[in-house]
Amino acid sequence: MLFLTRYVGQKIVISDKIVIKILNVNSAGHVSIGVDAPKDVAVHREEIYKKMSK
C-alpha cells in the first residue's frame, strides 16, 4: 500500500484519466475528496461496493 501526504488543493494522479483531489480536511480529520474519472469507470465508497458485490 502506498501512503501519501497531501494538502487541500493537491491531487493524486492514478492514470491519464483518473485524478483524486483533496477538497477539505476538517478539525476532526475527515477528508473530502473529489474523483475525476471517465463515466465508464465505476467509483464507489467501499461499503457500497461490498454490498453490490454480494
Side-chain angles (χ1 to χ4, degrees), residues 9-48:
Q10 292 183 320
K11 298 176 182 177
I12 298 167
V13 178
I14 296 176
S15 71
D16 290 341
K17 297 180 181 180
I18 301 172
V19 178
I20 297 172
K21 183 175 181 178
I22 308 306
L23 302 175
N24 186 45
V25 180
N26 70 17
S27 60
H30 295 144
V31 179
S32 296
I33 62 171
V35 180
D36 186 12
K39 290 185 181 211
D40 64 325
V41 174
V43 178
H44 302 285
R45 297 186 326 243
E46 180 183 28
E47 62 274 18
I48 301 299

